[in-house]
Amino acid sequence: MRFADLAEALERIEATTKRLEMRAILVSLLRPLRGSELSTVVYLAQGMLRPEYEGVELGVAESLARRAISDATHRPVEAIARHAKESGDLGTTTEEMLRGVRRLAPPAELSVEEVYGRLLALARTTGEGSQEAKVRELAALLERTGPREGKFLVRFVVGMLRVGVREMGILDALAVAFADGSKEARLRIEAAFNLTSDLGEVAERMADGGVAALDGIRLRVGRPIRPMLAERAADLAELLERMDGVCALEYKYDGLRVQAHVPPDGPPRLFSRRLEEIGAQFPDLLEAIPRALARRPAILEGECVPIDPTTGAIRPFQEIGRRRGRKHELDRYQSEVPVVLFVFDLLLDGEEETYRRPFPERREALGSVLRPSERIRLAEETIVRSVEEASEYFEAVVGEGAEGIVAKSLAPGSAYRAGARGFWWIKYKRDYQTELADSIDGVIVGGFHGRGRRAGRFGAYLLAVYDPSSGRFPSFCKVGSGLDDALLAELPKRLEAAAVDARPAAVETGLVPDQWFRPQVVLEVRGAELSRSPNHRAGYGSVGPELGLALRFPRCTGRIREDKGPTEATSVAELLRLFELQTSVRSKSVGHHAVGAPKSPPAPSEDPPA
Ligand code: ATP
């Protein structure tokens, strides 16, 4: 396929907001393709080179890209920078600049494969002189592209295309291109993606044998599985009802979710909740996990928490953060902040894909394969059959300092559902009794200048949730409280690369912050309750005419969710669910004067001044 054809399709997709039209363009783009050409186009359409978990980034800064554009178009770097500031998009600027270039002969056409191969090589160029090499290579590519291709090429390399075609769009298109387009096919494709975390592989298989070919997918050690997620319940009675009267209750450890892939020999690989490889931070776990296993290969899941080296008590989650990115100090942290992995699931046990089995069988297999040690333990669990038993366990673990519990279904259908948030797992947290049932992980999309003590920096941030069906980020609060000095200093550093001059197209809000940010950094907040607001856009239209949901009295918990990317932030559906839970708890408490009503805050202020 010519690269020009891909660029043309991407441009048409960009120009439409209609889901069906977008799908039709993608279907005609993908349908004729097979093998690696197909997976290549699937990755590129999403602005990626490899499945996300491989972490292959092009890593070309805008400043370098400007130099490459300058070399290829013979225009001064300053003119390019000026134009880009006005257009707000270096891709558009490239297109304009390339339009003005006169060539003696039309450039030889680039194929998708050639562009892909060269971009991959570019991404893998590291070390001394690599920046110069990247500028040269990008300029060489631009010299051979027309304006439209140049626009997309530059967007690829500076990482702007992430907002291009989303996973959901590709899944929709695959269901039509290589299956009957039915809802059932769509669900099977999504399940296959959740298991492989690789849309390229899913597409290639489907092109060969339709949805049936997806049944042949096997777990592969080293390829992370999208984690199963938990729903919420209003109270323990609802929780038990959803579980048909009996379930396992587990301690909800507040740490970092870890998926450990243990090959037949050699060290394991550890993946975070967002499928990033995190083994380097935990050399102690890399050593301890294989020793705690009676058999391998294996894929396990657990929560990694810091513990006090003298008392063995669980320490606050934040202490793990100290291990991040400080390779040379890891030894010291290993003794100062040792961690324990509390294992709660087994997805692969030797040759057997245990993830397909109901939870009680997985748990039993886990018991037989795991030889608990100082560092690797089994998550604590009990089986309950009544609200009284559940309440007793909940009070006991919360009394010990747990964040809450995770209930797990024992039903025959309780297989591990990769990537799904459902009622097979229900989380129920301590703070539910005093305020909103759960914390919310919001993406920072704007900053407000501070006043007084916070003058000269951002004093508050605008947060958004994620809507997977539209790919948009509607706002739900402006948070200033709970940001301590350390966080006020840290956040601007993390946000530097995300700062943009205008509201990113995917962000929806009625507020205008002093600085816009591309959705990138995820912050955990709590609040008193959710209310309807004309300023915010989360759940817009679902809670009243021209109203969205706003979090009242938001405060930051002090935690940056490094384990979550923007698309793993709390979703609009989850926010609506929290709103519904809050209403049901409140109506019950009005009737029975029971505990559980969110405290009514005194003043109707949802957006405190910065
Ligand atoms: P939260 O912010 O509440 O931890 P989350 O969005 O990261 O939630 P959820 O699936 O909603 O993820 O909640 C379950 C999370 O709880 C898991 O992702 C996992 O990290 C953590 N956890 C702690 N203990 C357990 C356990 N025993 N079983 C399953 N998950 C557990």
Side-chain angles (χ1 to χ4, degrees):
M1 174 182 269
R2 299 180 323 145
F3 184 61
D5 296 335
L6 174 61
E8 199 223 294
L10 290 177
E11 192 170 78
R12 285 170 53 214
I13 288 171
E14 209 175 62
T16 177
T17 51
K18 297 196 188 82
R19 195 168 163 173
L20 285 182
E21 208 173 303
M22 211 177 287
R23 189 179 74 183
I25 303 168
L26 271 174
V27 167
S28 44
L29 181 73
L30 300 179
R31 198 178 251 154
L33 305 177
R34 294 290 177 278
S36 64
E37 192 178 24
L38 173 60
S39 48
T40 300
V41 170
V42 165
Y43 299 136
L44 285 179
Q46 297 174 84
M48 311 186 326
L49 290 176
R50 297 286 309 150
E52 195 147 14
Y53 71 84
E54 288 187 20
V56 179
E57 293 280 345
L58 274 158
V60 175
E62 290 210 8
S63 55
L64 287 188
R66 285 198 291 264
R67 282 176 43 207
I69 302 163
S70 160
D71 287 353
T73 61
H74 313 293
R75 298 287 300 273
V77 176
E78 299 70 37
I80 292 162
R82 249 194 330 272
H83 192 286
K85 192 159 174 44
E86 250 163 52
S87 72
D89 166 25
L90 198 56
T92 312
T93 297
T94 311
E95 187 176 26
E96 277 298 306
M97 300 281 160
L98 281 171
R99 266 204 198 108
V101 173
R102 279 175 200 284
R103 290 181 170 128
L104 292 174
E109 292 226 61
L110 285 167
S111 69
V112 164
E113 270 120 329
E114 181 177 358
V115 173
Y116 180 73
R118 290 174 69 168
L119 289 181
L120 208 53
L122 198 93
R124 293 186 171 143
T125 311
T126 53
E128 209 181 320
S130 63
Q131 304 291 29
E132 291 309 312
K134 284 182 181 179
V135 171
R136 272 199 308 278
E137 176 66 357
L138 182 56
L141 275 172
L142 286 173
E143 273 162 20
R144 288 182 53 198
T145 62
R148 184 196 283 145
E149 298 97 274
K151 170 171 80 177
F152 284 101
L153 199 60
V154 165
R155 287 195 190 157
F156 284 138
V157 300
V158 298
M160 297 275 294
L161 213 77
R162 280 291 145 80
V163 282
V165 183
R166 285 164 301 104
E167 280 158 8
M168 293 297 153
I170 305 268
L171 291 170
D172 285 348
L174 291 178
V176 175
F178 303 115
D180 60 6
S182 65
K183 204 169 163 198
E184 196 222 327
R186 176 67 173 68
L187 284 173
R188 283 174 74 183
I189 300 167
E190 188 164 347
F193 171 51
N194 286 334
L195 275 185
T196 57
S197 312
D198 183 348
L199 274 179
E201 171 165 352
V202 171
E204 278 192 40
R205 276 182 181 270
M206 288 194 66
D208 280 348
V211 258
L214 299 177
D215 294 339
I217 287 179
R218 294 283 163 264
L219 297 189
R220 203 185 302 145
V221 174
R223 183 181 64 189
I225 298 145
R226 313 230 302 174
M228 178 165 176
L229 301 172
E231 260 292 352
R232 302 170 176 87
D235 51 32
L236 291 171
E238 187 204 340
L239 184 152
L240 218 66
E241 203 177 302
R242 298 244 182 214
M243 294 286 177
D244 288 334
V246 55
C247 63
L249 294 187
E250 294 189 355
Y251 202 101
K252 187 174 194 301
Y253 300 93
D254 188 15
L256 207 63
R257 183 164 184 168
V258 170
Q259 196 176 89
H261 287 238
V262 193
D265 24 49
R269 291 173 68 181
L270 309 183
F271 295 95
S272 73
R273 191 182 180 297
R274 66 187 291 196
L275 315 186
E276 276 177 335
E277 197 146 2
I278 50 168
Q281 284 172 58
F282 301 105
D284 34 1
L285 291 185
L286 295 186
E287 209 181 285
I289 292 171
R291 277 197 275 116
L293 289 177
R295 299 182 285 277
R296 48 196 296 192
I299 300 178
L300 343 149
E301 267 196 340
E303 190 87 352
C304 162
V305 296
I307 53 150
D308 186 309
T310 42
T311 64
I314 294 178
R315 306 276 311 151
F317 162 82
Q318 279 78 349
E319 301 196 2
I320 299 187
R322 291 210 253 146
R323 285 188 169 214
R324 277 195 168 254
R326 303 192 196 195
K327 287 203 177 65
H328 59 286
E329 289 182 9
L330 265 178
D331 280 349
R332 185 155 67 81
Y333 286 126
Q334 275 188 62
S335 51
E336 276 179 17
V337 192
V339 292
V340 167
L341 182 69
F342 284 96
V343 183
F344 54 72
D345 223 315
L346 180 67
L347 313 187
L348 179 77
D349 177 12
E351 295 308 309
E352 207 213 333
E353 297 192 317
T354 35
Y355 83 91
R356 298 173 189 271
R357 288 168 42 182
F359 175 68
E361 293 177 25
R362 299 206 300 283
R363 182 77 193 196
E364 198 185 316
L366 183 58
S368 82
V369 73
L370 203 75
R371 297 181 295 217
S373 66
E374 197 190 349
R375 292 272 163 270
I376 314 295
R377 303 190 205 155
L378 256 179
E380 199 182 290
E381 181 190 281
T382 189
I383 306 289
V384 297
R385 291 188 170 73
S386 67
V387 176
E388 290 69 36
E389 282 173 9
S391 173
E392 199 179 311
Y393 183 75
F394 177 72
E395 295 302 336
V397 300
V398 162
E400 287 171 24
E403 185 190 25
I405 50 175
V406 184
K408 297 189 175 173
S409 163
L410 306 175
S414 60
Y416 185 94
R417 320 240 166 182
R421 191 182 290 282
F423 285 101
W424 298 281
W425 284 10
I426 301 177
K427 60 177 169 177
Y428 185 74
K429 293 193 196 175
R430 174 183 63 203
D431 295 312
Y432 141 81
Q433 281 162 350
T434 50
E435 50 183 14
L436 200 63
D438 203 352
S439 52
I440 300 173
D441 299 318
V443 194
I444 300 181
V445 293
F448 298 87
H449 294 319
R451 286 184 239 134
R453 243 170 56 74
R454 294 181 177 182
R457 44 184 171 177
F458 295 117
Y461 288 97
L462 182 62
L463 301 187
V465 284
Y466 178 57
D467 182 355
S469 65
S470 68
R472 294 181 178 270
F473 293 88
S475 73
F476 72 96
C477 83
K478 172 178 165 185
V479 62
S481 75
L483 298 166
D484 60 14
D485 285 348
L487 212 54
L488 283 170
E490 175 69 15
L491 282 172
K493 284 188 228 152
R494 306 239 180 177
L495 288 162
E496 208 174 318
V500 282
D501 293 337
R503 180 175 60 79
V507 171
E508 296 174 334
T509 182
L511 298 179
V512 182
D514 298 311
Q515 172 69 58
W516 292 102
F517 295 110
R518 259 191 272 161
Q520 204 162 298
V521 178
V522 179
L523 201 62
E524 187 179 81
V525 288
R526 295 194 154 281
E529 64 173 344
L530 289 164
S531 62
R532 296 176 175 86
S533 153
N535 291 334
H536 293 290
R537 296 288 179 270
Y540 203 66
S542 304
V543 292
E546 294 181 23
L547 293 170
L549 284 179
L551 181 64
R552 294 184 74 196
F553 294 93
R555 69 170 196 287
C556 179
T557 63
R559 179 162 171 185
I560 301 175
R561 290 293 303 243
E562 303 188 60
D563 57 332
K564 289 191 171 186
T567 55
E568 280 98 14
T570 299
S571 66
V572 170
E574 288 182 78
L575 206 68
L576 285 167
R577 168 84 180 134
L578 281 170
F579 185 58
E580 178 193 313
L581 286 179
Q582 156 190 303
T583 319
S584 82
V585 168
R586 185 173 315 144
S587 57
K588 264 187 245 163
S589 74
V590 168
H592 309 291
H593 301 284
V595 286
K599 268 188 214 144
S600 273
S605 146
E606 76 207 17
D607 291 322

